[in-house]
Amino acid sequence: IKCRDLIGEARSIEYRGIYEGGYVMETQKIVGQTASAGFQIGVRRTLNISQKQAWERLISPQGMKLWLGECPDLIWAKGTDFRTAEGLTGQLRVVKPQEQLRLTCQPAHWAEASTLQIRLLPAASPGRTTVSFHQEKLELPSCSITATWRAGPSVIAYSTA
């Protein structure tokens, strides 16, 4: 079975048979579903910018609007709690300049926070950086989140710091 997300990529649903009381029961596992932590999504893109440039664009007010929301007073330090103008709350868990951000994210309408990790990895070619977005502990697979993260690394390449 296939379903389509917002940008048209097909996702497969895996069916497994389970023997129960003499009958084979059909269960489904959706791509991105983990054994114990709900759902996860991730995307990577290699860009023609340095890690320093990627970091500067990622944490600039213009860059933040694209992946986090408006939060002009955010201090980039481990343990900092934040609330965006759009109502997203969270806490910075790991802040390694030019390398990694790990934070909790909870929109107002979610029951639990998810964990978002952004990594800036040196690419094989000089002056290039692989930008990786990974979000876990999601209650349901979300096409809108997937589309946002697929766009995220690319918009960092074009945003101005």
Side-chain angles (χ1 to χ4, degrees), residues 47-147:
L47 308 174
N48 290 319
I49 58 175
S50 69
Q51 282 178 269
K52 181 180 180 189
Q53 290 170 312
W55 178 260
E56 289 169 353
R57 292 174 185 190
L58 183 70
I59 66 168
S60 72
Q62 298 89 352
M64 284 175 45
K65 284 181 188 178
L66 300 172
W67 67 271
L68 182 65
E70 195 169 337
C71 195
D73 299 325
L74 183 59
I75 297 168
W76 295 100
K78 181 180 177 178
T80 300
D81 293 323
F82 65 87
R83 181 179 191 84
T84 67
E86 298 79 10
L88 180 85
T89 59
Q91 183 182 71
L92 300 177
R93 298 285 174 93
V94 175
V95 179
K96 295 181 182 177
Q98 299 181 35
E99 292 180 24
Q100 179 185 15
L101 284 174
R102 186 172 177 88
L103 54 138
T104 60
C105 295
Q106 186 171 2
H109 62 280
W110 287 11
E112 300 287 330
S114 65
T115 301
L116 171 63
Q117 179 168 256
I118 303 170
R119 301 203 51 208
L120 306 176
L121 307 164
S125 302
R128 298 187 72 190
T129 302
T130 299
V131 179
S132 169
F133 282 76
H134 182 263
Q135 191 167 12
E136 59 190 20
K137 299 181 184 174
L138 298 166
E139 292 178 14
L140 297 170
S142 173
C143 293
S144 62
I145 291 172
T146 304

Side-chain angles (χ1 to χ4, degrees), residues 2-11 143:
K2 303 276 185 184
C3 67
R4 298 223 173 253
D5 66 19
L6 292 178
I7 60 171
E9 180 176 312
R11 293 187 195 166
C143 293

Side-chain angles (χ1 to χ4, degrees), residues 13-36:
I13 298 176
E14 172 187 317
Y15 281 94
R16 289 187 269 169
I18 297 177
Y19 184 78
E20 184 176 297
Y23 297 96
V24 175
M25 305 288 292
E26 293 286 330
T27 62
Q28 54 181 305
K29 181 179 178 206
I30 301 170
V31 172
Q33 188 173 16
T34 67
S36 63

